[in-house]
Amino acid sequence: MLIKTRNLTKIYPHNDGAVHAINNLSFDIPKGSFVTVTGASGSGKTTLLLILGGLLHPSSGTMVYNGKALNMQKDDVMANFRSNHVGFVMQSFALISYLTAVENIMIALNVRNKNKAEARKQAIELLDWVGLNDRINHYPKELSAGQQQRVAIARALANSPDLLLADEPTGNLDPGLSEEILGILKVINENHNTTVIMVTHSPIAASFGNITISLENGQIKTNNQSKYEEIFQLTH
Amino acid sequence: MNLFKLVLIELWHRKSQLVSGLLAITLGIGVIVGIRSFSVVSEKAVAVNLDNLGANIMVLPQAASVDNYYSADIDAPTFPESYVERIVTSSLPGVDNLSPKLTRRLKIGNESIVLTGILPKSEIASKPIWQQGGLFADKIAASCAPKPGAEPAKYLDERLQRKGIDSLAEADCFIGSVIAQRLNLKEKDKLNIEGKDFTVVNVLPETGTVDDDRVFANLHTVQELLGTGEQISAIEIMGCCSEISDGLLGKLRNVLPDTRITTIGQIVSTQIETNKMMNKISFVFLIIILFVGGISIGNYIWANVNERRKEIGILRMIGYHKRHVYFILVLKGIIIGFLGGIAGYILGTFGAIWLGPQFAGIEVAPIYTLILVSVVISVSVSIIGTVIPAYMAGKIEPFSNMQEE
């Protein structure tokens, strides 16, 4: 099992009363699965993704990653977790505007103390893999939306992550490009045995996964919980 | 790509911000350097003027008063000339010049004169106004003046300077303007004092002091003429005013316990007050610049942090620690501080060199040691100004890039 969560809860304080963005979520995610997280706006999808990716501290609850309990309140622990195990693909691409495609990938390698020549070589290989070997020195503004998302995917793969988290990765793309990006994610999942957790509104995107967690008011939908367990039993 | 390169790329990418940040620190440092360049020159001028007031410490025999010294009575007490050596060998800081003197009031015909034996170089050094008479061509460095590295010291051997050099021939003398008038003497005339012929080598310009009534001759000649042996009436000392405040008189009394040591109060207080004022002005300027410079850089970095919230969020998202964020911003501050320090030095120095003669009528020379001072101040101010914005940047959540959309 790659991830085990128990009673994960995130409460946002508010003048009108505390908001439970996610509430007592307990589930397991097997290695190599492609999990899609769906639900209406405000259901807690993104909050869950942020907590799973070590970007947000939960108010309570625990997470075991690859058999090891993570201290999710410690900033340094979570930063190391992100740099060593997790890749992120965001709807907004999250590229740094003044860095070229290759440099955007190299900054992810930099945090892992790769030497410059080695980092550049690996970054170029990744760009080649996502089909952008002719766009190495292009800035984000010189790339199309689909190309920018492919750079973001290449960067997400820079640290050879066990876990790839994607937040609405096709939200800014037209249907053709969306399918292309989803196809790349599927290949990463199947060929590299990388676990993918993708938040999406799109039923088409959701169909790419083999496990779906559907959220409602911060909790797994009751009917969905049984379906999740059923699928989980079938696949493992 | 390391963090240093990341910072350089970011600086280059936001050139207009870089220019405005650099401008703030450059102007600040430029003002400091400009003011300092001016003040060094003006401090020197002030110090020379203060020195022109003459000696400020008198060493007299225990039983003598200042009146005894100036009246030069035949019975005025004396003390051994070797006391000069004692001061010289003590190497007290702040004793910038010594002038041993033996004075006696004598008659030449019906005219009363004050014969004063001196060791000439040290006498000249303590009375810069005499140098205008052309007796000795070289100028003597002012006592309390700052010592810029570029300017060679007048006397490389300080002890030599203090001892004075016996270069006034034993039969030569120079005379005050009033005496010259009363005795109708001019250069190269002969003057007989107590049976000994002297040649007038110079008539000193009018000073408006008791010196106008004096005839100056070599100390050792005067001692022989008056039969006093190696005795002197007084030692005039030009003491550096800051050292006087720090207890120079007490130290001199320890060296010469059987003498009476007194200050010429008005001169000393003027010197001390002037020096204090100059120091205060420099200090106030420094505080203003540190305050304004720190706020300017802090404001610049703060604006930069706000503009880069998304970018900092991205870096944190891909695994950068808070310390990396601090490092990036402080490094940026250091780079701007360094460049600003250099640019500020150049601006301030050239500004002072250009404006000095035009507006203040003074020649300003570059002070090369200020490069280091400029860079140290500039980088320090930049680091101080960066600390709070960097700390706040560290608090930016790693998911900020998602919130900003």
Side-chain angles (χ1 to χ4, degrees), chain B residues 336-359:
Chain B
I336 290 174
F338 181 80
L339 295 176
I342 300 284
Y345 171 80
I346 294 169
L347 178 74
T349 299
F350 279 98
I353 289 171
W354 183 60
L355 293 173
Q358 297 200 27
F359 293 100

Side-chain angles (χ1 to χ4, degrees), chain A residues 72-169:
Chain A
M72 302 185 78
Q73 304 304 327
K74 281 219 163 186
D75 211 74
D76 279 354
V77 171
M78 298 320 290
N80 285 334
F81 171 64
R82 293 194 297 271
S83 67
N84 292 326
H85 300 288
V86 190
F88 294 92
V89 179
M90 299 295 178
Q91 180 180 359
S92 60
F93 319 132
L95 298 175
I96 294 177
S97 62
Y98 57 81
L99 298 180
T100 61
V102 72
E103 288 168 343
N104 262 290
I105 298 166
M106 284 169 73
I107 54 165
L109 293 163
N110 178 54
V111 77
R112 292 166 66 85
N113 296 321
K114 289 246 178 183
N115 75 50
K116 190 184 168 186
E118 197 185 331
R120 188 172 175 83
K121 182 170 172 276
Q122 190 180 338
I124 291 171
E125 282 171 4
L126 285 164
L127 281 172
D128 190 37
W129 190 80
V130 294
L132 290 174
N133 54 346
D134 56 342
R135 296 285 189 273
I136 288 168
N137 293 317
H138 284 231
Y139 289 95
K141 65 182 177 189
E142 297 167 341
L143 300 171
S144 70
Q147 287 169 331
Q148 288 184 55
Q149 195 59 297
R150 280 193 277 166
V151 174
I153 291 171
R155 185 188 58 196
L157 296 175
N159 57 349
S160 308
D162 320 310
L163 177 64
L164 187 70
L165 299 177
D167 184 39
E168 302 276 10

Side-chain angles (χ1 to χ4, degrees), chain B residues 7 29 61 69 74 109 125 142 151 174 182 185 232 310 312 344 389:
Chain B
V7 172
I29 296 296
Y69 171 66
I74 190 80
E151 194 174 306
F174 48 103
R182 287 212 308 252
L185 290 170
I232 51 176
K310 178 182 167 186
I312 291 167

Side-chain angles (χ1 to χ4, degrees), chain A residues 27-43:
Chain A
F27 55 84
D28 298 344
I29 294 177
K31 277 181 190 168
S33 54
F34 192 133
V35 180
T36 55
V37 182
T38 61
S41 293
S43 59

Side-chain angles (χ1 to χ4, degrees), chain B residues 1 24 62 72 123 169 176 200 293 306 317 324 332 335 388 400 405:
Chain B
M1 182 173 48
Q62 187 74 270
E123 181 69 34
V200 177
N306 279 328
M317 180 185 82
H324 292 126
K332 181 172 179 173
I335 291 171
I388 294 175
S400 294
E405 294 304 313

